[in-house]
Structure formats: C-alpha cells, structure tokens
Amino acid sequence: MQAGSPKWRRRAEARPGEIVQAAFDVFAEKGFAAAKLDDIAARAGISKGALYLYFETKEDLFRAVVREAVVPNLDMEQVLAQTTVPFPDLMRIVLARMGQMIGKTRLGAVAKLVIGESRNFPELARVWHDEVVSRALGALSTALAKAQVRGEIRLGDPRLQAFSIMGPILMGVIWQETFTPVGAPALDLELLISAHGDTVLAGLAPRAGVLK
Amino acid sequence: MQAGSPKWRRRAEARPGEIVQAAFDVFAEKGFAAAKLDDIAARAGISKGALYLYFETKEDLFRAVVREAVVPNLDMEQVLAQTTVPFPDLMRIVLARMGQMIGKTRLGAVAKLVIGESRNFPELARVWHDEVVSRALGALSTALAKAQVRGEIRLGDPRLQAFSIMGPILMGVIWQETFTPVGAPALDLELLISAHGDTVLAGLAPRAGVLK
DNA sequence: GCCTTTAATGACCGAAGAGTCATTAAAGGC
DNA sequence: GCCTTTAATGACTCTTCGGTCATTAAAGGC
C-alpha cells in the first residue's frame, strides 16, 4: 500500500449529500427492492457500514432520496399567482419552466420511483401528492379559474383543463425515461412543449369553434 | 380432516390462467422484486411448488404476466384506419374506447409495472413499446397526418399532436393508480376524456386563432 | 378394485443481502 | 509526539425467499 494514500478520510459533513446522490442513482435504476446497499455504498465511495452512520435503514435512505427531490418545486406557484400577465403568456412561461426543471432535476426518474413504489411506500406518494402534484395542479387550476372569469379562456372544470395542459408533458417524461433507453426514438421535450403549447392554448381559447 | 374434501385437485388446464391472474395482482401491488412467490401461490390457491410445474422461474412468470396484458390492444388500429369518418368523430370514438379499455383491463397497473421495471426488464419495455405504444401512436399519427392533408386539422408534427391527445389520459390513469389510493380525490376518467376531447379537438381545429 | 400416471405438496437447501459490531485509523487538541 | 474522539471498515450473523425434490394422493384406464 502506498505510504502517502490514507485508506479513507473523515468527512462527516460531506457524506450525507453524496450518499443520497448515489442512492438516488441506484434506486432510480433498480427500484427500491432490487437496489443493493453495497452498490450504493460503492458508488458513494464508502463501505456499507458507513451508510449506517448516517441512515437508520434502507427504507430510511429511500425516504430521504424521495423527499430530497421534493424541495425545488415551490417557485412555480409564484409564477402562476401573477395576475397581471395575460393567460397565454403565463402558460408559456410555466411550460418552459417545467421543461427546464425536468432537465436539471431528473424529475422523470423520481416520478418513476414514486409511481412504482406508491403501494409499498404510500406515505411517500402522499407527500409527493400534497407537496408537489396537488400544489402545482392547484395553482394551475386557480390561474385557469381566474382566466375564465376574465374571459381569457373557455369555461370548464379548471382541474380537468389542468390535466389537458400537463398530461402530455408527463407522457413525454415517461417516454424518455422508459422507452428511449430501450431503443425508441428520442423525444425533443422542448419541441413537444412548444407544439403542445400551441395546441392546448388554441383549444382553451374562447370562441374557438369546436369541430363538428 | 373431512372425509369428503380432497386435499387438492388436479386441474392442469385451468392452472396457468389462474396463476397469471394471481401473479398479476401481487406484482401490481408490490412490484417484481418485492413480490413473494409464496404470496402468489397462496392467492392462486396452490403451493409454491406447483408454480414450478407451469413456470420456470419468477422472471418467467413475470414476463408471462406482462405479455398477457399486451394482446387486446390491436383493434384500435382498425378504428383509426377508417378513412370515411370525419376526424373529430374518429377521435371521440378512439378516446371513448380508450376509456372502456382502461376500465376493463387494469391498464394502469400494467403501465406502472412496465414503467417501474423497464430498467430491470428492458426487453419487456421493448415489447410493450413495439406491440402497444408505438403501434397505437403510429396509427394515431397516420390518422392525424391524413386529417391534415384533408384540411380537417391544423398542420404540425402528427407525432407531437398524438402526445397532446393521449398524454392527459395517461396522466389520469397514473393519478388513479398512484394518488387516489393514498387519499387524493378520485378522478372521473369519463369526464376527463370528454372535457379533454373538447379542448384538444378545438386546439387542433384549423383556423382556430392561437391566443395572443 | 388395482395400477399407472402425474398433479400437487411442503419440508428443505443455498444464496443473497440487510443490518451489526469489534477493530482500525484519521483528525485534532494539547 | 501522545491521547482522545469518532469516522470508517469489513467480516460476521441472521433472515428471507427463490428454487428443489422426495413423497403423497387424485384421476383415469383396464
């Protein structure tokens, strides 16, 4: 063994973040049950024993991973609360921001985890619903309701309109996460968002004749 | 033990179907790795050993379960190939049929499985892409392209338009499968389909002014 | 009613992997 | 430089669960 290279270093502050990051990668790839703590430890550059200095159990670590990914989604509510911006502009801003967020936060992988493990970890599904999905959908619905009052868009259940707006983005994310890795053609999310924006905004516009 | 009640019965023909059904339930609830063969056997009303008379391994059984759910999706292509029906009518028929299919085939549960296990069973993701998703999307895209040529809808990439049509349905299914069981308000899929049909058909209509 | 065939059982085995802990060594105070 | 503290190790245990197989008994032919 080299003299100058210590077997390991003590870095109590840096560890938790690194571990969660490594765990995220492994959980995202394998799912909860098939993920091995040895793998996570190896990827984090430590031993399995060290994991237990920072997390009580495997479940604990999993919860930390999924909860970690919750945080950064709150700012979209403020955008949607803006009341001076015309609705279509607002919507394009929100859609564009979604696109960026998906790119940088690996939101697709988290979605896969939450969806796939929702029966085994119902409390995580609940957290994600309450903190992320329901909030975003609520803010969007509110914005839609206001736009209806102002006559900017057609009347209708705002909650269902929100599905029409968000659904295709979710589908795009799932496509990329599920089918592109097994050989399906890649999907340009920016393009999808832009094209879908055209379609759905036209669809929500007042007086646009319904076909037939 | 009762005299008249045999310990078990020999029913070689009926077993495979029952096993796959039971396995579907357990896999859908737990995911592949967390599903226990003992549980599947118990639910099928047989012993674990008997499973191995019909399936080589756990993976084998899982593959059978996911492949089983592939079959019934082919008829939508014929509907979409109809060339005499006006596009909006065609679309409403397709959407309605999707709704029925989701109700009767537990499509949501399968989707969850395919999405969640796509990294561990890439060949299943591939099968599902090739046999179901890509085909349905392809047929829909073709119908959209034809409708564009006829001037029934606005010009644009048909593939992306297909995402705008299908995305909200997928989102609805995932919602029901993931969030409703943990306390989120139930979603009326029929209603979503109808409302989304209004929106997206208006959005695809030619000359409908894009807002702003 | 016996005999053959084979569906079905369930106790068992072995591997895998979550979680533990006695031991080691880095860091830092004095 | 020594000593204390504590981060980190990795060999170990123990449980769980996929898969096996010798044994049992249902079904059906003769």
Side-chain angles (χ1 to χ4, degrees), chain A residues 51-71:
Chain A
L51 288 181
Y52 285 87
L53 298 173
Y54 300 97
F55 299 92
E56 296 270 315
T57 64
K58 185 185 183 185
E59 295 200 3
D60 217 47
L61 177 53
F62 184 67
R63 280 180 241 279
V65 165
V66 178
R67 287 216 162 88
E68 183 94 333
V70 166
V71 188

Side-chain angles (χ1 to χ4, degrees), chain B residues 133-169:
Chain B
V133 184
S134 180
R135 258 161 107 148
L137 235 46
L140 184 51
S141 297
T142 306
L144 284 160
K146 278 189 199 147
Q148 284 184 23
V149 171
R150 289 198 211 134
E152 291 183 309
I153 62 171
R154 170 198 316 257
L155 296 179
D157 182 338
R159 206 142 203 111
L160 299 180
Q161 291 177 333
F163 271 74
S164 287
I165 293 170
M166 287 304 191
I169 317 287

Side-chain angles (χ1 to χ4, degrees), chain A residues 184-196:
Chain A
L187 180 71
D188 184 332
L189 253 192
E190 298 293 319
L191 223 58
L192 171 63
I193 285 174
S194 148
H196 175 59

Side-chain angles (χ1 to χ4, degrees), chain B:
Chain B
M1 178 159 298
Q2 282 301 82
S5 58
K7 281 188 176 168
W8 39 265
R9 306 221 150 253
R10 291 171 54 176
R11 293 161 53 248
E13 330 70 36
R15 292 297 190 213
E18 295 173 4
I19 293 172
V20 168
Q21 178 57 49
F24 179 97
D25 293 343
V26 178
F27 282 136
E29 189 173 321
K30 305 278 190 181
F32 173 76
K36 287 174 255 186
L37 288 182
D38 280 309
D39 285 359
I40 293 172
R43 190 179 296 228
I46 59 176
S47 69
K48 184 167 63 171
L51 288 181
Y52 285 87
L53 298 173
Y54 301 97
F55 299 91
E56 298 269 316
T57 63
K58 186 185 183 185
E59 294 200 5
D60 217 47
L61 178 53
F62 184 66
R63 281 180 239 279
V65 165
V66 178
R67 287 218 162 85
E68 183 93 333
V70 167
V71 187
N73 296 316
L74 304 174
D75 44 342
M76 216 171 68
E77 289 177 304
Q78 284 145 11
V79 177
L80 279 166
Q82 294 196 341
T83 190
T84 61
V85 184
F87 179 78
D89 296 2
L90 197 61
M91 206 44 34
R92 296 221 107 107
I93 293 170
V94 166
L95 287 174
R97 190 164 288 212
M98 286 274 303
Q100 293 160 2
M101 203 139 74
I102 290 162
K104 73 173 69 128
T105 64
R106 307 251 300 101
L107 205 56
V110 188
K112 253 182 47 182
L113 279 178
V114 173
I115 293 167
E117 304 292 348
S118 63
R119 290 292 211 292
N120 296 324
F121 295 87
E123 89 281 13
L124 285 183
R126 210 169 290 126
V127 167
W128 255 76
H129 171 264
D130 295 350
E131 305 283 317
V132 184
V133 184
S134 180
R135 258 161 107 148
L137 235 46
L140 184 51
S141 297
T142 306
L144 284 160
K146 278 189 199 147
Q148 284 184 23
V149 171
R150 289 198 211 134
E152 291 183 309
I153 62 171
R154 170 198 316 257
L155 296 179
D157 182 338
R159 206 142 203 111
L160 299 180
Q161 291 177 333
F163 271 74
S164 287
I165 293 170
M166 287 304 191
I169 317 287
L170 175 65
M171 182 168 167
V173 169
I174 289 176
W175 179 278
Q176 281 194 316
E177 202 71 38
T178 306
F179 296 124
T180 301
V182 297
L187 180 72
D188 185 332
L189 252 192
E190 298 294 318
L191 224 58
L192 171 63
I193 285 174
S194 148
H196 174 59
D198 294 346
T199 300
V200 78
L201 284 176
L204 290 173
R207 348 249 104 252
V210 181
L211 284 184
K212 189 80 194 189

